[in-house]
Amino acid sequence: EITGILKQLGDEMNKDLTDATAEENNAIHIYEALMAAKKKELAALQAQIEKGMTQIGNLGVEIAAMNNELEDTQTAKVDDEKLKKELADGCATKTSEWEEVKKTRAEELLALAETIKVLNDDDALELFK
């Protein structure tokens, strides 16, 4: 009878061990699946972080380039405004000079007309005879 009880205890213990081993193997399988999923998630998040960092770096470079371009444009604007002022001053000077030339030409033409009139006069004709 004692051997029967011991045998029954041994069978129960073997069954419990088999159940515990199966449960442990199932837990190991679940853990490995979870770790694989977490590794995939980690890789995806790291890739996303790297992409974000690259994008931040690219935007920083673009901002620096745009700031340089803005400075160049502002410098060019100042230079262009100086040139515009110089051209306006030059045009004003040339306009006044042209007005003076036109006035002088008009006076010369008037003087020539008077000279021709005097030379065509009958009194002048007698002087040259």
Side-chain angles (χ1 to χ4, degrees):
E1 189 173 300
I2 293 180
T3 54
I5 294 174
L6 288 176
K7 185 175 181 191
Q8 185 181 7
L9 278 173
D11 290 342
E12 285 178 16
M13 288 176 89
N14 280 337
K15 184 180 179 256
D16 288 343
L17 177 64
T18 304
D19 290 343
T21 303
E23 195 175 306
E24 184 67 24
N25 286 338
N26 188 31
I28 289 171
H29 178 67
I30 291 172
Y31 172 78
E32 288 173 351
L34 178 65
M35 287 304 292
K38 290 295 180 183
K39 284 181 183 178
K40 280 185 182 179
E41 185 179 346
L42 178 64
L45 291 174
Q46 284 177 334
Q48 189 175 8
I49 288 171
E50 288 176 14
K51 182 180 175 185
M53 296 299 281
T54 302
Q55 193 174 25
I56 288 170
N58 289 340
L59 289 175
V61 169
E62 285 181 32
I63 288 170
M66 287 180 182
N67 284 337
N68 288 339
E69 188 175 327
L70 176 63
E71 290 173 10
D72 293 345
T73 302
Q74 288 172 337
T75 302
K77 180 183 176 205
V78 168
D79 292 343
D80 290 346
E81 286 174 350
K82 278 187 202 173
L83 178 62
K84 179 184 172 187
K85 185 179 182 316
E86 289 172 6
L87 288 174
D89 292 345
C91 284
T93 302
K94 293 292 182 185
T95 300
S96 65
E97 288 173 359
W98 178 247
E99 291 300 321
E100 186 66 31
V101 167
K102 284 184 355 184
K103 180 182 172 188
T104 304
R105 282 186 185 172
E107 290 172 357
E108 288 173 351
L109 287 174
L110 184 61
L112 282 174
E114 288 177 9
T115 303
I116 291 173
K117 183 178 176 186
V118 167
L119 289 176
N120 284 337
D121 195 309
D122 289 337
D123 294 336
L125 186 60
E126 287 180 18
L127 276 173
F128 291 116
K129 285 189 184 181

